[in-house]
């Protein structure tokens, strides 16, 4: 029986989160990583800074004390208004569970932790760019297709 725990990520999780980030980005990728160790060092530094405080928050899923998955939220500030209002937007990203641990609800539990945090912190709207296969999971967790949002996809420009 595996003991599962969802908890907030800490600065000390940065090295494992950097390794998992590399796994995530290499999944379904045919290109070889030019410098895996160098990437993990740089990514660890980046994550340490972000997890130390500021606009990024993250959660990890531990199985028997080992981090097997994670999700990140960037809380984007809205400009103050003179009326009571929700003060932030939430950008959900870097959502990953290691292949051997998928399909047991870890992903859903991570998304629920993000949503609970967002509700408590007056986040107005959460946005995510889902992978094709993950869209159904987001929908089950309450996400819907936007009706008002416009996007300008600059990567489509020649
Ligand atoms: C998305 C992901 C984090 C879900 O983790 P999980 O612990 O398996 O999630 P749950 O067990 O709570 O839910 C399972 C659901 O995830 C989705 N899913 C299953 N395999 C998936 C995959 N390889 N990639 C994306 N989503 C997947 C399905 O909707 C599945 O539901 P189903 O079994 O009814 O089809 C995990 O599959 C993953 O890391 N996928 C690869 C990375 C990815 O696509 N991340 C999302 C980017 S927006």
């Amino acid at each position: 029986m595996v003991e599962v725990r969802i908890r907030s990520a800490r600065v000390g999780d940065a090295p494992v989160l950097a390794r998992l980030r590399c796994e995530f980005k290499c999944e379904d990728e045919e290109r070889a990583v030019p410098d895996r160790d160098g990437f993990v060092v740089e990514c660890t530094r980046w994550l340490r800074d972000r997890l130390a405080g500021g606009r990024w928050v993250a959660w990890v899923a531990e199985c028997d004390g080992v981090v097997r998955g994670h999700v990140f939220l960037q809380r984007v500030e809205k400009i103050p208004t003179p009326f009571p209002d929700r003060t932030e937007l939430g950008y959900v990203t870097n959502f990953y569970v290691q292949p051997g641990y998928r399909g047991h609800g870890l992903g859903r539990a991570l998304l629920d932790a993000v949503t609970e945090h967002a509700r408590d912190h007056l986040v107005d709207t959460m946005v995510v760019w889902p992978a094709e296969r993950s869209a159904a999971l987001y929908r089950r967790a309450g996400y819907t297709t936007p009706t008002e949002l416009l996007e300008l996809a600059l990567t489509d420009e020649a």
Side-chain angles (χ1 to χ4, degrees):
M1 184 74 177
V2 177
E3 192 194 331
V4 174
R5 181 175 169 227
I6 306 293
R7 64 164 174 82
S8 297
R10 305 186 276 257
V11 172
D13 295 315
V16 69
L17 290 172
R19 285 196 299 278
L20 291 175
R21 174 69 180 169
C22 197
E23 270 183 33
F24 177 12
K25 290 286 109 183
C26 291
E27 194 173 309
D28 304 327
E29 171 64 68
E30 285 168 8
R31 288 172 298 176
V33 181
D35 176 10
R36 186 178 297 264
D37 292 346
F39 170 77
V40 170
V41 168
E42 275 310 308
C43 189
T44 298
R45 200 192 327 271
W46 191 95
L47 289 165
R48 266 204 191 106
D49 282 354
R50 299 314 181 278
L51 293 172
R55 306 230 58 91
W56 286 94
V57 279
W59 290 262
V60 297
E62 283 182 336
C63 295
D64 287 338
V66 180
V67 175
R68 299 296 183 184
H70 50 74
V71 65
F72 281 59
L73 173 71
Q74 185 169 39
R75 288 169 39 197
V76 180
E77 280 180 306
K78 290 169 64 179
I79 297 176
T81 84
F83 307 105
D85 196 6
R86 292 182 167 261
T87 52
E88 299 181 357
L89 301 171
Y91 164 49
V92 178
T93 189
N94 201 29
F95 180 36
Y96 179 68
V97 169
Q98 285 185 302
Y101 294 83
R102 289 179 193 164
H104 298 287
L106 296 184
R108 177 59 194 265
L110 284 164
L111 285 186
D112 287 348
V114 181
T115 307
E116 190 184 325
H117 173 93
R119 283 211 174 91
D120 289 349
H121 288 81
L122 294 182
V123 172
D124 179 318
T125 304
M126 307 281 273
V127 291
V128 69
W129 279 261
E132 201 177 323
R133 283 194 65 189
S134 63
L137 174 56
Y138 285 111
R139 286 183 187 283
R140 283 198 295 272
Y143 289 69
T144 56
T145 302
T147 52
E148 291 181 35
L149 190 72
L150 296 180
E151 67 171 18
L152 176 62
L154 298 174
T155 49
D156 291 347
E157 290 178 1

